[in-house]
Amino acid sequence: NVTGVQTCALPISGQIVGTLNIRSHTAIVDIAFTTKTYSITYKDSVNLKYDAESQTIHKNYQGWIMNLDNAIKGRLTAAGS
């Protein structure tokens, strides 16, 4: 597991649901992947002030997702060594 991220069973082949809990905040993302690529997409959240109409969310969300992306890249790099 990436620090702070808990993954659940693969609901669909090629997809992981990741949950990040930080203090009173929860972000849930879909991580779709193939053998060559992956993408991280917002799925749901708790206490992150997400507004679908204005496409806004907690100011730290993007940083948390960047940290997740960097952790995944690091693991992929290590696995390829």
Side-chain angles (χ1 to χ4, degrees):
N1 280 352
V2 175
T3 303
V5 174
Q6 304 139 9
T7 56
C8 67
L10 301 177
I12 306 171
S13 180
Q15 183 174 348
I16 298 171
V17 176
T19 303
L20 175 65
N21 295 297
I22 299 179
R23 294 175 294 283
S24 64
H25 309 292
T26 301
I28 303 167
V29 295
D30 281 324
I31 305 168
F33 62 92
T34 67
T35 57
K36 300 201 183 284
T37 65
Y38 68 92
S39 63
I40 303 169
T41 307
Y42 173 89
K43 182 173 184 164
D44 199 4
S45 61
V46 175
N47 199 26
L48 289 181
K49 302 178 185 174
Y50 176 67
D51 184 329
E53 187 174 309
S54 65
Q55 293 291 296
T56 58
I57 196 162
H58 191 283
K59 65 182 180 177
N60 293 335
Y61 175 81
Q62 289 300 329
W64 296 332
I65 298 307
M66 285 176 53
N67 289 340
L68 172 60
D69 186 37
N70 289 334
I72 292 170
K73 287 177 184 172
R75 295 282 178 101
L76 290 173
T77 299
S81 299

